[in-house]
Amino acid sequence: MWSFLHKLASPKWFYEIGGMMLPWLTALSVLLLCTGTVWGLLFAPPDYQQGNSYRIIYMHVPSSILAQSSYMIMAVVGAIGLIWKIKLADVGMKCCAPIGASLAFLSIATGAIWGKPTWGTWWVWDARLTSMLILLFLFMGIIALRSAMEDKEAAGKACAILGLVGMVNIPIIKFSVEWWKTLHQPSSIKLTEESTVAPEMLLPLLVMVLGFYCFFFTTWIMRMRTEILARELRTQWVRDETRIGARKRARVESIMKF
């Protein structure tokens, strides 16, 4: 196990293993997302209070969960880079931030769309909403900080530190509805207790959450492989990989001509 993890920390090994995983993750994410979307939008019953407007949860809830998960993954990867000086960790953190920012933005946008018919307003300075907005700003801050610093090593350390400091916001997002009076409803999906969502509504939601996780890892691996090629451009293995890729493209093009 430790030998595998040690090899996985190598850019070359990660590039190869990631390439083998990508087709499976891509197919699984497409299958889960399509299944969950059709199931949730067409076959799940309407809510007895909100009617069909509740169906936006099939986008809002998974994006909210993944925004927080991606930040935690980014912070952990950043900590690994700080402690063990693994250069692949900096690659992972850099590639994770834009994905997490997109998910946080999607969570806020879909929440606003749901809030208009439910609360009568697009936005309130609710504890949950405000802490999610702070999460988006943290992602954007990490992206901006890296872009503003020319020294890549110093930028990686600064981003890792900011990512770890920002972890304080994650429990605030999670428990804000319990700590303060808030318009946002408490979590309906519970691990230790019975969920308050009807099974016929919960199952497609869980499928969408799994689909979002697969989509996240698919996108993350794709971005990391691209970043690895850019950073390792002068190494022999990247030159060999590029040469092999050019041969494959030439072979496909020759087949297409016939």
Side-chain angles (χ1 to χ4, degrees):
M1 182 63 181
W2 286 110
S3 176
F4 173 77
L5 292 176
H6 179 73
K7 290 179 179 179
L8 193 62
S10 166
K12 181 177 183 295
W13 271 81
F14 181 89
Y15 185 88
E16 294 175 353
I17 295 172
M20 291 186 290
M21 293 173 61
L22 270 179
W24 297 98
L25 280 173
T26 302
L28 188 58
S29 61
V30 170
L31 176 63
L32 290 172
L33 289 175
C34 290
T35 302
T37 301
V38 173
W39 192 354
L41 296 183
L42 300 181
F43 295 101
D47 184 75
Y48 75 100
Q49 287 183 325
Q50 301 179 41
N52 287 317
S53 65
Y54 90 96
R55 297 184 192 276
I56 202 167
I57 68 169
Y58 295 112
M59 291 293 291
H60 176 67
V61 172
S63 60
S64 301
I65 293 174
L66 263 294
Q68 298 172 67
S69 296
S70 60
Y71 191 91
M72 290 188 287
I73 291 171
M74 184 182 67
V76 170
V77 170
I80 292 172
L82 277 176
I83 298 170
W84 287 288
K85 312 296 182 183
I86 298 175
K87 59 182 179 180
L88 187 63
D90 183 59
V91 174
M93 186 175 189
K94 178 182 179 180
C95 296
C96 187
I99 307 172
S102 301
L103 290 167
F105 178 79
L106 180 61
S107 169
I108 293 171
T110 52
I113 294 171
W114 175 82
K116 180 61 176 176
T118 306
W119 298 337
T121 181
W122 296 100
W123 179 267
V124 291
W125 291 102
D126 178 90
R128 172 64 64 82
L129 274 65
T130 304
S131 54
M132 278 301 298
L133 183 62
I134 292 172
L135 183 68
L136 174 60
F137 288 159
L138 284 168
F139 277 121
M140 295 175 64
I142 289 172
I143 296 170
L145 180 61
R146 184 178 292 276
S147 301
M149 299 180 67
E150 295 183 0
D151 188 334
K152 291 184 179 180
E153 184 176 351
K157 291 180 180 179
C159 290
I161 292 171
L162 178 58
L164 289 171
V165 172
M167 279 290 291
V168 175
N169 190 49
I170 298 299
I172 294 177
I173 296 173
K174 172 65 177 176
F175 299 107
S176 57
V177 293
E178 300 175 12
W179 291 345
W180 298 288
K181 184 179 180 181
T182 173
L183 281 175
H184 198 287
Q185 67 187 57
S187 176
S188 300
I189 304 175
K190 301 178 181 179
L191 297 177
T192 57
E193 302 176 20
E194 185 177 355
S195 297
T196 57
V197 184
E200 54 269 27
M201 298 177 181
L202 178 61
L203 290 176
L205 181 58
L206 294 178
V207 171
M208 286 296 289
V209 171
L210 290 175
F212 264 69
Y213 268 108
C214 290
F215 174 77
F216 166 77
F217 284 111
T218 300
T219 310
W220 191 30
I221 291 173
M222 290 175 65
R223 291 182 62 90
M224 286 184 67
R225 294 179 85 235
T226 303
E227 181 68 19
I228 287 170
L229 288 180
R231 294 193 181 196
E232 304 285 318
L233 192 58
R234 296 182 179 180
T235 59
Q236 185 61 44
W237 75 267
V238 172
R239 293 177 182 176
D240 295 338
E241 188 71 30
T242 306
R243 198 176 299 116
I244 293 171
R247 291 174 183 172
K248 289 181 179 179
R249 285 193 296 271
R251 192 179 301 118
V252 171
E253 290 174 359
S254 64
I255 294 173
M256 291 295 291
K257 289 180 181 179
F258 292 101

